[in-house]
Coordinates of all heavy atoms in Angstrom, one line a residue:
M1 N 2.0 -8.1 -19.2 CA 0.8 -8.5 -18.8 C 0.6 -8.2 -17.3 O 1.5 -8.4 -16.5 CB 0.6 -10.0 -19.0 CG -0.6 -10.6 -18.3 SD -0.6 -12.4 -18.2 CE -0.5 -12.9 -19.8
K2 N -0.6 -7.8 -16.9 CA -0.9 -7.5 -15.5 C -1.5 -8.8 -14.9 O -2.0 -9.6 -15.6 CB -1.9 -6.4 -15.4 CG -1.4 -5.0 -15.9 CD -0.6 -4.4 -14.8 CE -0.2 -2.9 -15.2 NZ 0.4 -2.2 -14.2
H3 N -1.4 -8.8 -13.5 CA -2.0 -9.9 -12.8 C -2.9 -9.4 -11.7 O -2.6 -8.5 -11.0 CB -0.8 -10.8 -12.2 CG 0.1 -11.4 -13.2 ND1 -0.2 -12.6 -13.7 CD2 1.1 -10.9 -13.8 CE1 0.7 -12.9 -14.6 NE2 1.6 -11.9 -14.7
A4 N -4.1 -10.0 -11.6 CA -5.1 -9.6 -10.7 C -5.0 -10.3 -9.3 O -4.7 -11.5 -9.3 CB -6.5 -9.8 -11.2
Y5 N -5.1 -9.5 -8.3 CA -5.0 -10.0 -6.9 C -6.2 -9.4 -6.1 O -6.6 -8.3 -6.3 CB -3.7 -9.6 -6.2 CG -2.5 -10.2 -6.7 CD1 -1.8 -9.6 -7.8 CD2 -1.9 -11.3 -6.1 CE1 -0.7 -10.1 -8.3 CE2 -0.7 -11.8 -6.6 CZ -0.1 -11.2 -7.7 OH 1.1 -11.7 -8.2
W6 N -6.7 -10.2 -5.1 CA -7.4 -9.6 -4.0 C -6.4 -9.2 -3.0 O -5.5 -9.9 -2.7 CB -8.4 -10.6 -3.4 CG -9.6 -10.8 -4.2 CD1 -9.9 -11.9 -5.0 CD2 -10.7 -9.9 -4.4 NE1 -11.1 -11.7 -5.6 CE2 -11.6 -10.5 -5.3 CE3 -11.0 -8.6 -3.9 CZ2 -12.8 -9.9 -5.7 CZ3 -12.2 -8.0 -4.3 CH2 -13.1 -8.6 -5.2
A7 N -6.5 -7.9 -2.6 CA -5.4 -7.4 -1.7 C -6.0 -6.5 -0.6 O -7.2 -6.1 -0.7 CB -4.4 -6.6 -2.5
V8 N -5.3 -6.3 0.4 CA -5.6 -5.3 1.5 C -4.5 -4.3 1.6 O -3.4 -4.5 1.2 CB -5.9 -6.0 2.8 CG1 -7.0 -7.0 2.8 CG2 -4.6 -6.7 3.3
V9 N -4.9 -3.1 2.1 CA -3.9 -2.1 2.4 C -3.5 -2.2 3.8 O -4.4 -2.3 4.7 CB -4.5 -0.7 2.1 CG1 -3.6 0.4 2.5 CG2 -4.9 -0.6 0.6
C10 N -2.2 -2.3 4.0 CA -1.7 -2.5 5.4 C -2.2 -1.3 6.3 O -2.3 -0.2 5.8 CB -0.2 -2.5 5.4 SG 0.6 -2.7 7.0
K11 N -2.5 -1.7 7.5 CA -3.1 -0.7 8.4 C -2.0 0.2 9.0 O -2.3 1.2 9.7 CB -3.9 -1.4 9.5 CG -5.1 -2.1 9.0 CD -5.9 -2.8 10.1 CE -7.1 -3.4 9.4 NZ -8.0 -4.1 10.5
T12 N -0.7 -0.1 8.8 CA 0.3 0.8 9.2 C 0.3 2.0 8.2 O 0.4 1.7 7.0 CB 1.7 0.1 9.2 OG1 1.7 -0.9 10.2 CG2 2.8 1.1 9.5
P13 N 0.2 3.2 8.6 CA 0.1 4.3 7.6 C 1.3 4.3 6.7 O 2.4 4.1 7.1 CB 0.1 5.6 8.5 CG -0.4 5.1 9.8 CD 0.1 3.7 10.0
N14 N 1.0 4.6 5.4 CA 2.0 4.7 4.3 C 2.8 3.4 4.1 O 3.9 3.5 3.6 CB 2.9 5.9 4.6 CG 2.2 7.2 4.7 OD1 1.3 7.5 4.0 ND2 2.5 7.9 5.7
C15 N 2.3 2.3 4.5 CA 3.1 1.0 4.4 C 2.9 0.5 3.0 O 3.9 0.3 2.3 CB 2.7 0.0 5.4 SG 3.8 -1.4 5.4
G16 N 1.7 0.1 2.6 CA 1.5 -0.5 1.3 C 0.5 -1.5 1.2 O -0.4 -1.7 2.1
L17 N 0.6 -2.3 0.1 CA -0.4 -3.3 -0.3 C 0.0 -4.7 0.1 O 1.2 -5.0 -0.1 CB -0.6 -3.2 -1.8 CG -1.8 -3.9 -2.4 CD1 -3.1 -3.2 -2.1 CD2 -1.6 -3.9 -3.9
I18 N -0.9 -5.5 0.6 CA -0.6 -6.9 0.9 C -1.5 -7.8 0.0 O -2.7 -7.8 0.2 CB -0.9 -7.2 2.3 CG1 -0.1 -6.2 3.3 CG2 -0.5 -8.7 2.6 CD1 -0.6 -6.4 4.7
P19 N -0.9 -8.4 -1.0 CA -1.7 -9.4 -1.8 C -2.2 -10.5 -0.9 O -1.5 -11.1 -0.2 CB -0.7 -9.9 -2.9 CG 0.4 -8.9 -2.9 CD 0.4 -8.4 -1.5
A20 N -3.5 -10.8 -1.0 CA -4.1 -11.8 -0.2 C -4.5 -13.1 -1.0 O -4.5 -14.2 -0.4 CB -5.4 -11.3 0.5
K21 N -4.9 -12.9 -2.2 CA -5.2 -14.0 -3.1 C -5.0 -13.7 -4.5 O -5.3 -12.6 -5.0 CB -6.7 -14.4 -2.9 CG -7.2 -15.6 -3.7 CD -8.6 -15.9 -3.3 CE -9.1 -17.2 -3.9 NZ -8.5 -18.4 -3.4
Y22 N -4.3 -14.6 -5.2 CA -4.1 -14.4 -6.7 C -5.3 -14.8 -7.4 O -5.8 -15.9 -7.2 CB -2.8 -15.2 -7.1 CG -2.5 -15.1 -8.5 CD1 -2.1 -13.9 -9.1 CD2 -2.6 -16.2 -9.4 CE1 -1.8 -13.7 -10.4 CE2 -2.2 -16.1 -10.7 CZ -1.9 -14.8 -11.2 OH -1.5 -14.7 -12.5
V23 N -5.8 -14.0 -8.3 CA -7.0 -14.2 -9.1 C -6.6 -14.9 -10.4 O -7.2 -15.8 -10.9 CB -7.8 -13.0 -9.3 CG1 -9.0 -13.3 -10.2 CG2 -8.2 -12.4 -8.0
G24 N -5.5 -14.3 -11.1 CA -5.1 -14.8 -12.4 C -4.6 -13.7 -13.2 O -4.6 -12.5 -12.8
P25 N -4.3 -13.9 -14.5 CA -4.0 -12.9 -15.4 C -5.1 -11.8 -15.5 O -6.3 -12.2 -15.5 CB -3.8 -13.6 -16.8 CG -3.5 -15.0 -16.4 CD -4.2 -15.2 -15.1
H26 N -4.7 -10.6 -15.4 CA -5.7 -9.5 -15.5 C -6.3 -9.4 -16.9 O -5.6 -9.3 -17.9 CB -5.0 -8.2 -15.1 CG -6.0 -7.0 -15.1 ND1 -7.1 -7.0 -14.4 CD2 -5.9 -5.8 -15.7 CE1 -7.7 -5.8 -14.6 NE2 -7.0 -5.1 -15.4
E27 N -7.6 -9.5 -16.9 CA -8.3 -9.5 -18.2 C -8.9 -8.2 -18.7 O -9.8 -8.1 -19.5 CB -9.5 -10.5 -18.1 CG -9.0 -11.9 -17.8 CD -10.1 -12.9 -17.5 OE1 -11.3 -12.6 -17.6 OE2 -9.8 -14.1 -17.2
G28 N -8.3 -7.1 -18.2 CA -8.7 -5.8 -18.7 C -9.9 -5.2 -18.1 O -10.4 -4.2 -18.6
T29 N -10.4 -5.8 -17.1 CA -11.6 -5.3 -16.4 C -11.4 -5.5 -14.9 O -10.7 -6.3 -14.5 CB -12.9 -6.0 -16.8 OG1 -14.0 -5.4 -16.1 CG2 -12.9 -7.5 -16.6
F30 N -12.1 -4.6 -14.1 CA -12.0 -4.8 -12.7 C -13.3 -5.3 -12.1 O -13.6 -5.1 -11.0 CB -11.6 -3.4 -12.0 CG -10.2 -3.2 -12.0 CD1 -9.6 -2.4 -13.0 CD2 -9.4 -3.7 -11.1 CE1 -8.2 -2.1 -13.0 CE2 -8.0 -3.5 -11.1 CZ -7.4 -2.7 -12.0
F31 N -14.0 -6.1 -12.9 CA -15.2 -6.7 -12.5 C -14.9 -8.1 -11.9 O -14.8 -9.1 -12.7 CB -16.2 -6.8 -13.6 CG -17.5 -7.4 -13.1 CD1 -18.4 -6.7 -12.3 CD2 -17.9 -8.7 -13.5 CE1 -19.6 -7.3 -11.9 CE2 -19.0 -9.3 -13.1 CZ -19.9 -8.6 -12.2
Y32 N -14.5 -8.2 -10.7 CA -14.2 -9.4 -10.0 C -15.1 -9.5 -8.8 O -15.3 -8.6 -8.1 CB -12.7 -9.5 -9.5 CG -11.8 -9.5 -10.7 CD1 -11.2 -8.3 -11.2 CD2 -11.4 -10.7 -11.3 CE1 -10.3 -8.4 -12.2 CE2 -10.5 -10.8 -12.3 CZ -9.9 -9.6 -12.8 OH -9.1 -9.6 -13.8
T33 N -15.7 -10.7 -8.6 CA -16.6 -10.9 -7.5 C -15.9 -11.7 -6.4 O -15.3 -12.8 -6.7 CB -17.9 -11.7 -8.1 OG1 -18.4 -10.9 -9.1 CG2 -18.9 -11.8 -7.0
L34 N -16.1 -11.3 -5.2 CA -15.6 -12.0 -4.1 C -16.3 -13.4 -4.0 O -17.5 -13.4 -4.2 CB -15.8 -11.3 -2.8 CG -14.7 -10.3 -2.3 CD1 -15.2 -9.5 -1.1 CD2 -13.5 -11.0 -2.0
P35 N -15.6 -14.4 -3.7 CA -16.2 -15.7 -3.5 C -17.2 -15.6 -2.4 O -17.0 -14.9 -1.4 CB -15.1 -16.7 -3.1 CG -13.8 -16.0 -3.5 CD -14.1 -14.5 -3.5
D36 N -18.3 -16.4 -2.5 CA -19.3 -16.4 -1.4 C -18.8 -17.0 -0.2 O -19.3 -16.7 0.9 CB -20.6 -17.1 -1.9 CG -21.3 -16.3 -3.0 OD1 -21.2 -15.1 -3.0 OD2 -22.0 -16.9 -3.8
V37 N -17.9 -17.9 -0.3 CA -17.4 -18.7 0.8 C -16.0 -18.2 1.2 O -15.2 -18.1 0.3 CB -17.4 -20.2 0.5 CG1 -16.9 -21.0 1.7 CG2 -18.8 -20.7 0.2
G38 N -15.8 -18.0 2.5 CA -14.5 -17.6 2.9 C -14.6 -17.4 4.4 O -15.6 -17.3 5.0
P39 N -13.4 -17.3 5.1 CA -13.4 -17.1 6.5 C -13.9 -15.7 6.8 O -13.9 -14.8 6.0 CB -11.9 -17.2 6.9 CG -11.2 -17.0 5.6 CD -12.1 -17.4 4.5
G40 N -14.4 -15.5 8.0 CA -14.9 -14.2 8.5 C -13.8 -13.1 8.6 O -14.0 -11.9 8.4
W41 N -12.5 -13.6 8.8 CA -11.4 -12.7 8.9 C -10.1 -13.4 8.8 O -10.1 -14.6 8.8 CB -11.4 -11.9 10.3 CG -11.5 -12.8 11.5 CD1 -12.6 -13.3 12.1 CD2 -10.4 -13.5 12.2 NE1 -12.3 -14.1 13.1 CE2 -10.9 -14.3 13.2 CE3 -9.0 -13.4 12.0 CZ2 -10.1 -15.0 14.0 CZ3 -8.2 -14.2 12.9 CH2 -8.8 -14.9 13.9
W42 N -9.0 -12.6 8.5 CA -7.7 -13.2 8.3 C -6.8 -12.3 9.1 O -6.9 -11.1 9.2 CB -7.2 -13.1 6.9 CG -8.1 -13.7 5.9 CD1 -8.0 -15.0 5.4 CD2 -9.2 -13.1 5.2 NE1 -9.0 -15.2 4.5 CE2 -9.7 -14.0 4.3 CE3 -9.7 -11.8 5.2 CZ2 -10.8 -13.8 3.5 CZ3 -10.8 -11.5 4.4 CH2 -11.3 -12.5 3.5
E43 N -5.7 -12.9 9.7 CA -4.6 -12.2 10.2 C -3.5 -12.3 9.3 O -3.0 -13.4 9.0 CB -4.3 -12.7 11.6 CG -5.3 -12.3 12.7 CD -4.9 -12.6 14.1 OE1 -3.8 -13.3 14.3 OE2 -5.6 -12.2 15.0
I44 N -3.1 -11.2 8.6 CA -2.1 -11.2 7.6 C -0.9 -10.4 8.0 O -1.0 -9.2 8.4 CB -2.7 -10.6 6.3 CG1 -4.0 -11.4 5.8 CG2 -1.7 -10.6 5.2 CD1 -4.7 -10.8 4.6
P45 N 0.3 -11.0 8.0 CA 1.5 -10.3 8.3 C 1.9 -9.5 7.1 O 1.8 -9.9 5.9 CB 2.5 -11.4 8.6 CG 2.0 -12.6 7.8 CD 0.5 -12.4 7.8
C46 N 2.5 -8.3 7.3 CA 3.0 -7.4 6.3 C 4.5 -7.6 6.1 O 5.2 -7.5 7.1 CB 2.7 -6.0 6.6 SG 3.3 -4.8 5.4
A47 N 5.0 -7.9 4.9 CA 6.4 -8.0 4.7 C 7.1 -6.6 4.8 O 8.3 -6.6 5.1 CB 6.6 -8.6 3.3
G48 N 6.4 -5.5 4.6 CA 7.0 -4.2 4.7 C 7.3 -3.8 6.1 O 8.4 -3.4 6.4
C49 N 6.3 -3.8 7.0 CA 6.5 -3.2 8.3 C 6.6 -4.3 9.4 O 7.0 -4.1 10.5 CB 5.3 -2.3 8.7 SG 3.7 -3.2 8.9
G50 N 6.3 -5.6 9.0 CA 6.4 -6.7 10.0 C 5.3 -6.9 10.9 O 5.3 -7.8 11.7
Q51 N 4.3 -6.0 10.8 CA 3.1 -6.1 11.7 C 2.1 -7.1 11.2 O 2.0 -7.3 9.9 CB 2.5 -4.7 11.9 CG 3.3 -3.7 12.5 CD 3.6 -4.0 14.0 OE1 2.7 -4.4 14.7 NE2 4.9 -3.9 14.4
T52 N 1.3 -7.7 12.0 CA 0.2 -8.5 11.6 C -1.1 -7.9 12.1 O -1.2 -7.5 13.3 CB 0.3 -9.9 12.3 OG1 1.6 -10.5 11.8 CG2 -0.8 -10.8 11.9
Y53 N -2.0 -7.7 11.2 CA -3.3 -7.1 11.4 C -4.4 -8.0 11.0 O -4.2 -8.9 10.1 CB -3.5 -5.8 10.7 CG -2.5 -4.7 11.2 CD1 -1.4 -4.3 10.4 CD2 -2.7 -4.1 12.4 CE1 -0.6 -3.3 10.7 CE2 -1.8 -3.1 12.8 CZ -0.8 -2.7 12.0 OH 0.1 -1.7 12.4
R54 N -5.6 -7.8 11.5 CA -6.8 -8.6 11.2 C -7.5 -7.8 10.1 O -7.8 -6.6 10.2 CB -7.7 -8.8 12.4 CG -8.9 -9.7 12.1 CD -9.7 -9.9 13.4 NE -8.9 -10.9 14.2 CZ -9.3 -11.5 15.3 NH1 -10.5 -11.2 15.7 NH2 -8.6 -12.3 15.9
Y55 N -8.0 -8.5 9.1 CA -8.7 -8.0 7.9 C -10.0 -8.8 7.7 O -10.0 -10.0 8.0 CB -7.9 -8.0 6.7 CG -6.6 -7.1 6.8 CD1 -5.4 -7.7 7.2 CD2 -6.6 -5.8 6.6 CE1 -4.2 -7.0 7.3 CE2 -5.5 -5.0 6.7 CZ -4.3 -5.6 7.1 OH -3.2 -4.9 7.2
T56 N -11.0 -8.2 7.2 CA -12.2 -8.8 6.8 C -12.5 -8.7 5.3 O -11.8 -7.9 4.6 CB -13.4 -8.3 7.6 OG1 -13.6 -6.9 7.2 CG2 -13.2 -8.4 9.1
R57 N -13.6 -9.3 4.8 CA -13.9 -9.2 3.4 C -14.1 -7.7 3.0 O -13.7 -7.4 1.8 CB -15.2 -9.9 3.2 CG -15.1 -11.4 3.3 CD -16.4 -12.1 3.2 NE -17.3 -11.7 2.1 CZ -17.3 -12.4 0.9 NH1 -16.6 -13.4 0.7 NH2 -18.1 -11.9 0.0
I58 N -14.6 -6.8 3.8 CA -14.8 -5.5 3.4 C -13.4 -4.7 3.2 O -13.4 -3.7 2.5 CB -15.7 -4.7 4.3 CG1 -15.1 -4.6 5.7 CG2 -17.1 -5.2 4.3 CD1 -15.9 -3.7 6.6
D59 N -12.4 -5.3 3.7 CA -11.0 -4.7 3.5 C -10.4 -5.0 2.1 O -9.5 -4.4 1.7 CB -10.1 -5.1 4.6 CG -10.4 -4.6 5.9 OD1 -10.7 -3.4 6.1 OD2 -10.5 -5.4 6.9
L60 N -11.0 -6.1 1.5 CA -10.4 -6.5 0.2 C -10.8 -5.6 -1.0 O -11.9 -5.1 -1.1 CB -10.9 -8.0 -0.1 CG -10.4 -9.0 0.9 CD1 -11.2 -10.3 0.6 CD2 -8.9 -9.3 0.6
Q61 N -9.8 -5.5 -1.9 CA -10.0 -4.8 -3.1 C -9.2 -5.5 -4.2 O -8.2 -6.1 -3.9 CB -9.6 -3.3 -3.0 CG -8.3 -3.1 -2.3 CD -8.0 -1.6 -2.0 OE1 -7.7 -0.9 -2.9 NE2 -8.1 -1.3 -0.7
V62 N -9.6 -5.3 -5.4 CA -8.9 -5.9 -6.5 C -7.8 -5.0 -7.0 O -8.1 -3.8 -7.2 CB -9.8 -6.3 -7.7 CG1 -9.0 -6.7 -8.9 CG2 -10.8 -7.3 -7.3
K63 N -6.6 -5.5 -7.2 CA -5.5 -4.7 -7.7 C -4.8 -5.4 -8.8 O -4.7 -6.7 -8.8 CB -4.5 -4.5 -6.6 CG -5.0 -3.6 -5.5 CD -5.2 -2.2 -5.9 CE -5.6 -1.3 -4.8 NZ -5.8 0.1 -5.2
A64 N -4.5 -4.7 -9.9 CA -3.7 -5.3 -11.0 C -2.2 -4.9 -10.8 O -1.9 -3.8 -10.7 CB -4.2 -4.7 -12.3
L65 N -1.4 -5.9 -10.6 CA 0.0 -5.7 -10.4 C 0.8 -6.3 -11.6 O 0.3 -7.1 -12.3 CB 0.4 -6.4 -9.1 CG -0.3 -6.0 -7.8 CD1 0.1 -6.9 -6.6 CD2 -0.2 -4.6 -7.5
D66 N 2.0 -5.8 -11.7 CA 2.9 -6.2 -12.8 C 3.4 -7.6 -12.8 O 3.6 -8.2 -13.8 CB 4.1 -5.2 -13.0 CG 3.7 -3.8 -13.4 OD1 2.7 -3.7 -14.1 OD2 4.3 -2.9 -13.0
N67 N 3.6 -8.1 -11.6 CA 4.2 -9.4 -11.4 C 3.3 -10.5 -11.1 O 2.3 -10.3 -10.3 CB 5.3 -9.3 -10.4 CG 6.4 -8.3 -10.8 OD1 6.8 -8.3 -11.9 ND2 6.8 -7.5 -9.9
P68 N 3.5 -11.7 -11.6 CA 2.8 -12.9 -11.1 C 3.2 -13.2 -9.7 O 4.2 -12.7 -9.2 CB 3.2 -14.0 -12.1 CG 4.5 -13.6 -12.5 CD 4.5 -12.1 -12.6
P69 N 2.5 -14.1 -9.0 CA 2.9 -14.4 -7.6 C 4.3 -15.0 -7.6 O 4.6 -15.8 -8.5 CB 1.8 -15.3 -7.1 CG 1.1 -15.8 -8.3 CD 1.3 -14.8 -9.4
P70 N 5.1 -14.7 -6.6 CA 6.4 -15.3 -6.5 C 6.3 -16.8 -6.1 O 5.2 -17.2 -5.6 CB 7.1 -14.5 -5.4 CG 6.0 -13.9 -4.6 CD 4.8 -13.7 -5.5
A71 N 7.3 -17.5 -6.3 CA 7.4 -18.9 -5.9 C 7.1 -19.0 -4.4 O 7.6 -18.2 -3.6 CB 8.7 -19.5 -6.2
G72 N 6.2 -19.9 -4.0 CA 5.9 -20.1 -2.6 C 4.8 -19.1 -2.1 O 4.4 -19.2 -1.0
F73 N 4.2 -18.3 -3.0 CA 3.1 -17.5 -2.6 C 1.9 -18.3 -2.1 O 1.6 -19.3 -2.7 CB 2.6 -16.6 -3.8 CG 1.4 -15.7 -3.5 CD1 1.6 -14.5 -2.8 CD2 0.2 -16.1 -3.8 CE1 0.5 -13.7 -2.5 CE2 -0.9 -15.3 -3.5 CZ -0.7 -14.1 -2.8
R74 N 1.3 -17.9 -1.0 CA 0.2 -18.7 -0.4 C -1.0 -17.7 -0.3 O -0.9 -16.7 0.3 CB 0.6 -19.2 1.0 CG -0.4 -20.0 1.6 CD 0.1 -20.6 3.0 NE 0.2 -19.6 4.0 CZ -0.7 -19.2 4.9 NH1 -1.9 -19.8 4.8 NH2 -0.5 -18.3 5.8
D75 N -2.1 -18.1 -0.9 CA -3.4 -17.4 -0.8 C -3.8 -17.5 0.7 O -3.5 -18.5 1.4 CB -4.5 -18.0 -1.6 CG -4.3 -17.8 -3.1 OD1 -3.6 -16.8 -3.5 OD2 -4.8 -18.6 -3.9
W76 N -4.5 -16.4 1.1 CA -4.9 -16.4 2.5 C -6.3 -17.1 2.8 O -6.7 -17.2 3.9 CB -5.0 -15.0 3.1 CG -3.5 -14.5 3.2 CD1 -2.8 -13.7 2.4 CD2 -2.7 -14.8 4.3 NE1 -1.6 -13.6 2.8 CE2 -1.4 -14.2 4.0 CE3 -2.8 -15.6 5.4 CZ2 -0.3 -14.4 4.9 CZ3 -1.7 -15.7 6.3 CH2 -0.5 -15.1 6.0
W77 N -6.9 -17.5 1.7 CA -8.1 -18.4 1.8 C -8.3 -19.2 0.5 O -7.6 -19.0 -0.4 CB -9.4 -17.6 2.1 CG -10.0 -16.9 0.9 CD1 -10.9 -17.4 0.1 CD2 -9.7 -15.6 0.4 NE1 -11.3 -16.5 -0.9 CE2 -10.5 -15.4 -0.7 CE3 -8.8 -14.6 0.8 CZ2 -10.5 -14.2 -1.4 CZ3 -8.8 -13.4 0.0 CH2 -9.7 -13.2 -1.0

């Protein structure tokens, strides 16, 4: 089973994906709507490169990943 996340791509070139919010089990479609309410921006640290960058709603994209969120995962909003 796949799991859907709102995620951003790290701004460090070739670094990777940073899950920002767990949506739930992936239901076979990529029709997910961003919530109307949320902060204007987030500063999200990357576990891969260790850098922290600022992201906005337009940076978010839905990604289906193989794993559910790990224990202690914290949504960014």
Side-chain angles (χ1 to χ4, degrees):
M1 170 193 303
K2 295 277 189 176
H3 296 270
Y5 293 84
W6 282 106
V8 296
V9 175
C10 181
K11 293 180 180 180
T12 298
N14 303 316
C15 188
L17 191 70
I18 305 170
K21 184 175 186 70
Y22 180 64
V23 179
H26 180 54
E27 298 175 2
T29 179
F30 276 97
F31 181 72
Y32 293 95
T33 304
L34 271 171
D36 291 333
V37 177
W41 53 269
W42 306 267
E43 287 189 351
I44 302 177
C46 178
C49 66
Q51 296 294 315
T52 298
Y53 294 107
R54 184 174 287 187
Y55 299 94
T56 65
R57 290 171 50 94
I58 59 172
D59 295 310
L60 292 168
Q61 50 190 282
V62 173
K63 293 291 183 182
L65 304 176
D66 290 328
N67 298 317
F73 178 79
R74 182 175 72 88
D75 289 335
W76 289 99
W77 80 90

